[in-house]
Amino acid sequence: MVVATDAGATRNWTSVATVAGWQTAASLCYYTVFAATGIIREEFGLSESLVGVFLTAALLGYTLGLFPSGAAVDGFGEKRTMVVGLAALAVAAVGVSLAPSYGLLLGAGGLLGAAYSTAMPASNRAIVASSPPGRQGLAMGLKQVGVTAGSGVASVLVTGIAAVAAWQLGFWVVAALAGGYALGFLALYDGSRGTGELSLPDLDGLRANRPFLLLVAAGLFVGASIFSMLGYTVLYVEDVVGGSAAVGGAVLALTQVTGSVGRIGAGSLADRLGGARGAATVALGQMALAVVLFGALATGDWSLPVVAVLFVGLGLSIHGSTGVFYSCLSALVDDDDIGGATAGGQTAINVGGLLTPPLFGLLVETGGYDLAWGLLGATTLAATVLLGTVRLRT
């Protein structure tokens, strides 16, 4: 089915797939830094907490760019923002690979994050403009698969190339793929029109939306869990389970694959339940499962096969929840405010990611991984409680 919208975009699954492909290419660039944590630790002689600071630098650039990116999306439409953003991501990925010192590595990571700030505001608006009627949850889940797919491919590509060649080559391959897709996206995607004016989001209206504020608060704790897990999965497999960096990358990639499955399934179920309440219900169940799985990691000494199973479950649960998170957010605000609202939600997720990975690394150094995984169990529990409140208020 093809439906023309007033905004100029076309509602069909081809447009949804084009947007999902863009999200995959953008995430492929950004998540190279998470896939390369073991490589960067060895290359620059870093401690676990300094690895966390590097991840924080990338997240800080991402976070600071969100509201300007959201304003650009609402003002000028998503297509221009997406093309420029993907080109900038390709350049920044090369910059990370060429950094000669730890200080410059932090700066390059910050620029990579700033370029990635275009992703969520622009792609979420693109999905709202492109998804067939009544299928926004599934479309958002499919688009969010681009995040896990990009991260998974980065995990395999970066660690695999580093095992047989210079580690920088993996970043260059990623940059080439992103640049090529930017050209294809420019030709294939029509996009919706913006207001024509660059202005700050309607923060007063968003602040008056109590369910939206509760959802944003939940995002803070979701981000704390997701980004800490992303940053330390490879190191955990190396340091505790005894696997190589390539094995750690494979476990991280497996988590992203199951996260993709979780996002599609959760989005489809949310469509069946309907509206913001349905999306919040699905996300609530996923968070509750993640609490149990983080608890298992914190209390057991597991072999590689069991660890892989636990991370599969975390992929289906916490990594699979972001699609319905954004479906719920989009249903709580007006279409014209999606760019700014997404910036607010993603800022909360990123703040959780800014604060928690260094703390996670410090806990690993002082008390071991059991204590660190327990921290993520607590943050996920807080997200569960808040999502339950969102469900009650919608």
Side-chain angles (χ1 to χ4, degrees):
M1 178 174 61
V2 177
V3 180
T5 69
D6 293 337
T10 301
R11 292 185 178 276
N12 60 31
W13 292 111
T14 300
S15 294
V16 170
T18 303
V19 175
W22 183 94
Q23 182 68 71
T24 302
S27 297
L28 175 62
C29 291
Y30 179 68
Y31 286 97
T32 51
V33 297
F34 293 92
T37 50
I39 298 165
I40 288 172
R41 179 176 67 169
E42 180 179 350
E43 183 73 16
F44 291 91
L46 305 178
S47 66
E48 284 79 4
S49 56
L50 285 179
V51 172
V53 171
F54 168 58
L55 300 179
T56 297
L59 271 174
L60 180 61
Y62 183 4
T63 305
L64 293 177
L66 276 167
F67 276 104
S69 293
V73 169
D74 288 337
F76 304 125
E78 72 277 7
K79 181 176 180 177
R80 295 178 186 177
T81 310
M82 293 168 85
V83 172
V84 172
L86 192 53
L89 277 164
V91 173
V94 174
V96 170
S97 73
L98 297 178
S101 66
Y102 180 64
L104 291 175
L105 181 71
L106 294 180
L111 291 175
L112 183 71
Y116 191 61
S117 70
T118 58
M120 289 304 167
S123 62
N124 282 2
R125 182 183 173 100
I127 286 299
V128 170
S130 302
S131 59
R135 306 310 302 273
Q136 183 175 310
L138 177 57
M140 191 71 76
L142 288 169
K143 190 272 294 185
Q144 285 298 111
V145 165
V147 178
T148 50
S151 176
V153 172
S155 301
V156 174
L157 190 62
V158 170
T159 57
I161 290 177
V164 297
W167 67 272
Q168 293 90 342
L169 181 60
F171 283 75
W172 301 345
V173 171
V174 165
L177 291 172
Y181 196 86
L183 295 175
F185 185 82
L186 183 63
L188 293 174
Y189 183 73
D190 293 330
S192 61
R193 294 184 296 272
T195 62
E197 298 179 358
L198 188 63
S199 60
L200 290 175
D202 179 16
L203 298 180
D204 289 337
L206 294 177
R207 279 195 292 263
N209 188 332
R210 185 58 61 86
F212 170 78
L213 293 179
L214 290 168
L215 186 65
V216 167
L220 179 73
F221 295 104
V222 171
S225 301
I226 287 179
F227 281 110
S228 298
M229 181 182 162
L230 280 172
Y232 287 92
T233 295
V234 174
L235 299 183
Y236 174 70
V237 172
E238 286 187 73
D239 297 343
V240 177
V241 185
S244 65
V247 171
V251 172
L252 181 58
L254 181 63
T255 303
Q256 300 308 294
V257 170
T258 56
S260 300
V261 174
R263 292 174 192 208
I264 295 172
S268 182
L269 180 58
D271 284 336
R272 291 176 180 272
L273 296 177
R277 183 180 177 86
T281 301
V282 176
L284 176 63
Q286 289 176 297
M287 289 299 108
L289 175 59
V291 171
V292 174
L293 295 171
F294 279 128
L297 281 173
T299 56
D301 184 13
W302 308 111
S303 63
L304 179 59
V306 176
V307 166
V309 170
L310 291 174
F311 277 98
V312 164
L314 286 167
L316 291 170
S317 55
I318 187 133
H319 281 285
S321 68
T322 56
V324 287
F325 176 88
Y326 283 116
S327 291
C328 185
L329 181 147
S330 298
L332 291 172
V333 301
D334 294 334
D335 287 356
D336 290 342
D337 294 329
I338 286 175
T342 298
Q346 190 64 49
T347 296
I349 290 174
N350 285 10
V351 168
L354 282 168
L355 298 176
T356 312
L359 177 59
F360 188 102
L362 183 62
L363 290 176
V364 169
E365 293 177 11
T366 58
Y369 275 96
D370 289 351
L371 187 59
W373 291 126
L375 170 67
L376 300 194
T379 56
T380 309
L381 179 61
T384 304
V385 173
L386 287 165
L387 280 166
T389 309
V390 172
R391 183 183 181 277
L392 291 174
R393 287 179 174 269
T394 50

